[in-house]
Amino acid sequence: MEYILIIIAAVFVNNIVLSQFLGICPFIGVSAKVETSVGMTGAVTFVMTIATVVTYLIQHYILNPFDIGYMQTISFILVIASLVQLVEIMLKKVSPPLYQALGIFLPLITTNCAVLGAAMLAVQFEYNLIQSIVFAIANSIGFGIALIIFAGLREHFDLLEVPAAMKGVPISFVAAGLLAMAFMGFAGIA
Amino acid sequence: MNQLNNFTKGFIRENPVFILFLGLCPALGVTTTAINGIGMGFATTFVLIMSNIVISLIKNFIPANVRIPSFIVVIASFVTIVELTMAAFMPSLFDSLGLFIPLIVVNCLVLGRAEAFASKNNLITAVIDGLSMGLGFTLALGLLGGVRELFGDGSILGWKFIQGDGMLIFILSPGAFLALGYLIMLSNKVKK
């Protein structure tokens, strides 16, 4: 039950993109096509889950016992940066087409605040290891849902007549605002 | 490059938020009021200038393959300095900015300037670039925060001049997206 609550809260109520504003860069950047969004979601899920586990271990077995909490930002970001490098190398070998499609955005997962944000939130909420893993997976599902719905919306923008000044990014933000409004409907259920 | 030109580019021509679309997470996340936006802007400006200085000084000693992790370590050190300083001297601002202070480390703007500019230019040019981009970012965040505060609460910088509740939606999350969307539209319009 406890885990279901964490999942519902992270996916719908406090959606990481639409209500916490983490991971906006890939949300606007790679959401032009549904296909690339799915690939990006896969990469983020993988990195976010492993990153949260590793940062949990660092926090509880290194930072806390030695009382060096101020090293949190530096140590967490280093772990995430090396993880992303690992995923990049793996993807290049295992699935070259996906690697081609994600292109520049793969190294950018390092600067995807959603990954670092989820890791820090899990520490802040004082979750244990299992809860942290559930929280990370739920957050990446939330990220994926927002990204894929948004990509679906954006694919239709090509067919619309948009005023010249609204073309591209501005209309995407307005659409994201409407999507965020829709997600506000989930407030209060968990 | 002309230094004056270098200094003014961040405000309008290459504004990080409205034109380059960098650093959007804090731009949306903290701008519920103008003062939060400005506080975040100055914190980011400090990190930008300091990391640009250090990176432009050590650029010749860093092997190309590990440059991104090295840049991140430099940036993270300055973010930690900002975090601890703000927690000690400005606790109320620190509380309202919350998670977004440590997240300056993953602000694409800071890493982007380090990679694209500071690692290729000399010290003075890099400092001016950091200052220009930082102030442009502060301007954008202050503007976005001001618009959201004005419509959401009827006040600017905490000074309330429209009585009543205002449109609450601008303080809540959808308002951030809407306000930024329309501000980018305006900047597109002005640019033409």
Side-chain angles (χ1 to χ4, degrees):
Chain A
M1 191 60 212
E2 183 196 354
Y3 300 125
I4 296 174
L5 269 181
I6 293 180
I7 292 174
I8 291 177
V11 175
F12 295 113
V13 183
N14 293 319
N15 185 285
I16 193 154
V17 179
L18 295 170
S19 85
Q20 313 238 31
F21 305 115
L22 300 174
I24 300 289
C25 294
F27 181 67
I28 297 293
V30 288
S31 63
K33 278 206 182 103
V34 173
E35 234 168 87
T36 29
S37 311
V38 175
M40 186 72 186
T41 309
V44 167
T45 309
F46 186 69
V47 175
M48 201 187 267
T49 313
I50 299 181
T52 310
V53 172
V54 177
T55 51
Y56 174 88
L57 296 176
I58 291 179
Q59 179 73 33
H60 290 269
Y61 293 101
I62 299 178
L63 298 184
N64 285 353
F66 294 101
D67 198 21
I68 45 173
Y70 55 87
M71 291 294 283
Q72 194 194 44
T73 313
I74 299 184
S75 52
F76 280 20
I77 193 65
L78 269 182
V79 167
I80 292 169
S82 23
L83 262 177
V84 171
Q85 207 84 48
L86 193 76
V87 173
E88 197 181 344
I89 295 169
M90 269 172 51
L91 213 58
K92 211 173 182 173
K93 264 270 188 282
V94 178
S95 167
L98 191 60
Y99 179 77
Q100 288 277 320
L102 294 179
I104 182 170
F105 282 99
L106 207 60
L108 281 185
I109 295 186
T110 312
T111 51
N112 181 345
C113 19
V115 176
L116 183 62
M120 286 185 159
L121 282 175
V123 171
Q124 219 173 66
F125 293 159
E126 292 174 352
Y127 284 149
N128 63 32
L129 187 57
I130 307 288
Q131 285 170 326
S132 299
I133 294 173
V134 173
F135 181 71
I137 294 174
N139 268 324
S140 28
I141 295 172
F143 178 78
I145 285 183
L147 196 66
I148 291 165
I149 293 179
F150 192 57
L153 286 176
R154 274 182 86 169
E155 280 187 350
H156 291 276
F157 287 171
D158 298 339
L159 307 172
L160 302 176
E161 268 185 52
V162 182
M166 285 294 273
K167 273 210 175 88
V169 175
I171 190 76
S172 307
F173 270 113
V174 175
L178 297 177
L179 193 59
M181 243 181 251
F183 268 74
M184 271 178 66
F186 292 112
I189 58 171
Chain B
M1 198 200 303
N2 182 331
Q3 296 292 17
L4 185 71
N5 206 11
N6 185 17
F7 178 70
T8 54
K9 71 176 179 220
F11 293 97
I12 299 185
R13 231 168 340 113
E14 289 181 35
N15 189 288
V17 176
F18 296 139
I19 309 289
L20 302 178
F21 310 125
L22 294 173
L24 293 175
C25 303
L28 294 166
V30 303
T31 52
T32 46
T33 62
I35 200 75
N36 280 357
I38 293 169
M40 185 69 200
F42 280 125
T44 311
T45 306
F46 173 77
V47 175
L48 254 173
I49 295 175
M50 296 312 285
S51 64
N52 267 9
I53 291 176
V54 172
I55 286 162
S56 108
L57 286 176
I58 61 172
K59 61 177 183 283
N60 295 328
F61 306 109
I62 302 176
N65 292 328
V66 293
R67 66 178 193 288
I68 299 284
S70 332
F71 293 168
I72 287 179
V73 174
V74 171
I75 296 168
S77 322
F78 288 113
V79 170
T80 308
I81 293 174
V82 168
E83 200 181 340
L84 295 177
T85 312
M86 203 178 259
F89 295 106
M90 289 170 271
S92 66
L93 186 64
F94 182 76
D95 283 341
S96 55
L97 297 182
L99 192 62
F100 283 97
I101 291 289
L103 286 181
I104 296 176
V105 73
V106 283
N107 187 329
C108 355
L109 173 62
V110 183
L111 190 64
R113 291 328 283 181
E115 162 79 358
F117 202 93
S119 64
K120 297 189 180 75
N121 285 286
N122 64 30
L123 179 62
I124 305 292
T125 324
V127 172
I128 295 176
D129 176 73
L131 188 65
S132 161
M133 283 294 158
L135 292 180
F137 189 66
T138 311
L139 179 79
L141 259 64
L143 199 62
L144 184 57
V147 168
R148 287 181 70 187
E149 200 184 340
L150 177 66
F151 284 109
D153 192 44
S155 57
I156 284 182
L157 293 169
W159 180 63
K160 196 167 170 71
F161 57 92
I162 299 173
Q163 294 307 315
D165 279 342
M167 290 179 271
L168 195 59
I169 195 83
F170 274 92
I171 304 280
L172 296 171
S173 53
F177 288 109
L178 292 179
L180 185 57
Y182 286 116
L183 281 176
I184 294 174
M185 181 202 76
L186 276 182
S187 89
N188 280 351
K189 198 97 187 164
V190 169
K191 216 167 48 176
K192 274 184 197 132

